[in-house]
Amino acid sequence: MADEAPMAIETLYLPRALLPGLRRSDLEGRSFYDLLRGNGVEIASGTETIEPTVTTAEEAAELGVPVHMPAFLFERITRDAGGRPLEYVRSLYRGDRYRLELDLRPPNH
């Protein structure tokens, strides 16, 4: 939310065994990643994809925008040092409220 307007829909999936008994209240007012660290879980790597899409009827209703409005779809998988998946995140961002900017630099040799 920004200025009382919905900006994105974010859905987080994680293995139940990772944080057994996790409740919504555990995440209110704190970072999910702080919660992981506090439970001895360290993220070692992740992969995120970004692609253009349009909103479905359900997504449009949640965001308060027209159906088939342009949007950005972010999907992320993070893993621990052993390669075990820790989370899958699907985020849909309104296309009319965001601009993506990438800072490109040559690799250090």
Side-chain angles (χ1 to χ4, degrees):
M1 302 286 285
D3 294 330
E4 305 301 316
M7 300 293 287
I9 300 168
E10 295 192 326
T11 308
L12 167 70
Y13 300 91
L14 60 143
R16 185 180 305 271
L18 188 63
L19 293 172
L22 179 67
R23 300 210 181 331
R24 180 184 305 264
S25 60
D26 296 332
L27 297 170
E28 292 175 359
R30 77 186 288 191
S31 161
F32 172 67
Y33 302 107
D34 288 344
L35 181 64
L36 286 179
R37 275 190 294 279
N39 283 275
V41 179
E42 290 291 330
I43 293 174
S45 66
T47 303
E48 186 162 53
T49 60
I50 306 166
E51 64 183 272
T53 190
V54 295
T55 58
T56 64
E58 182 181 323
E59 293 163 342
E62 285 189 52
L63 292 171
V65 299
V67 176
H68 300 133
M69 178 160 186
F72 293 109
L73 175 61
F74 291 72
E75 292 181 299
R76 179 176 64 247
I77 297 175
T78 58
R79 293 179 171 79
D80 65 12
R84 178 178 67 150
L86 299 175
E87 68 168 349
Y88 166 71
V89 180
R90 182 185 191 277
S91 304
L92 184 79
Y93 286 75
R94 292 175 55 150
D96 66 333
R97 298 283 178 103
Y98 287 91
R99 184 179 108 185
L100 302 178
E101 181 176 321
L102 305 173
D103 186 15
L104 306 175
R105 298 170 190 255
N108 294 333
H109 291 14

